[in-house]
Amino acid sequence: MSVDELKKANAHFYDEVFRRRNVDALDELLADDFVEHIPGPGQSADRQGVKEFIGQILAAFPDLDFEIVREVAEGDTIASVLRFTGTHQNEFAGVPPTGRRVTVFVADVGRLREGRWTDHWGLVDFAGLMGQLGTTPAGSR
């Protein structure tokens, strides 16, 4: 894929899944052999695990919006830094709704084959998120 095609696929993914709240689109966007290389706690590393995890995020932060801050693409891979903002309105990661507005940065790297995502590595500023929610991540003091 060209750099422009990778960036277009990346924008489409975030628009369809996060802006349109269409988690079922992942059935078409992610390859059958998709692998999540850094799954969240209790999340399976396959397409179903991603669907469940994103569903939890969208339920907890129903007004979630995002900005792609930076993208770098080469070959079959695209790396992005994203800024997510939303209001914590339902339970997330064991934290009851706080009503707090949060901003979280995410670093994502994805690989595509024939227009479908095959691999994903993602790092979330989870400690920053928990701090904004008034708690700390499990295991922290």
Side-chain angles (χ1 to χ4, degrees), residues 1 9 15-16 23 44-45 49 53-54 73-74 89 109 112 131 133:
M1 297 180 79
D15 284 338
E16 189 64 33
V23 177
S44 64
F53 185 68
I54 291 174
E74 179 179 79
Q89 298 179 30
V109 177
L112 287 92
L133 296 178

Side-chain angles (χ1 to χ4, degrees), residues 53 56-57 60-61 88 90-97 126 129-130 133:
F53 185 68
Q56 292 169 7
I57 292 168
F61 303 91
H88 183 217
N90 294 296
E91 185 271 331
F92 181 73
V95 179
F126 193 68
L129 171 61
M130 291 294 111
L133 296 178

Side-chain angles (χ1 to χ4, degrees), residues 8-22 25 29 65-66 68:
K8 184 177 178 180
N10 199 42
H12 174 69
F13 177 90
Y14 288 105
D15 284 338
E16 189 64 33
V17 175
F18 287 96
R19 282 218 172 97
R20 293 188 180 103
R21 300 340 191 224
N22 185 5
L29 295 169
D65 198 13
F66 71 93
I68 297 174

Side-chain angles (χ1 to χ4, degrees), residues 15-131:
D15 284 338
E16 189 64 33
V17 175
F18 287 96
R19 282 218 172 97
R20 293 188 180 103
R21 300 340 191 224
N22 185 5
V23 177
D24 289 333
L26 293 167
D27 291 329
E28 296 302 319
L29 295 169
L30 305 182
D32 293 338
D33 60 348
F34 173 84
V35 176
E36 172 58 62
H37 292 277
I38 308 175
Q43 175 189 351
S44 64
D46 58 6
R47 180 170 49 202
Q48 186 59 37
V50 171
K51 287 178 73 172
E52 291 169 3
F53 185 68
I54 291 174
Q56 292 169 7
I57 292 168
L58 293 174
F61 303 91
D63 62 346
L64 189 76
D65 198 13
F66 71 93
E67 173 190 1
I68 297 174
V69 176
R70 180 86 168 117
E71 294 176 302
V72 178
E74 179 179 79
D76 62 356
T77 303
I78 187 160
S80 306
V81 174
L82 304 117
R83 178 185 302 119
F84 284 90
T85 56
T87 308
H88 183 217
Q89 298 179 30
N90 294 296
E91 185 271 331
F92 181 73
V95 179
T98 63
R100 293 182 180 184
R101 185 115 176 115
V102 299
T103 298
V104 179
F105 284 91
V106 177
D108 272 343
V109 177
R111 182 180 297 145
L112 287 92
R113 179 183 63 236
E114 298 174 2
R116 296 177 79 192
W117 300 92
T118 61
D119 297 90
H120 176 259
W121 297 261
L123 296 173
V124 177
D125 179 12
F126 193 68
L129 171 61
M130 291 294 111

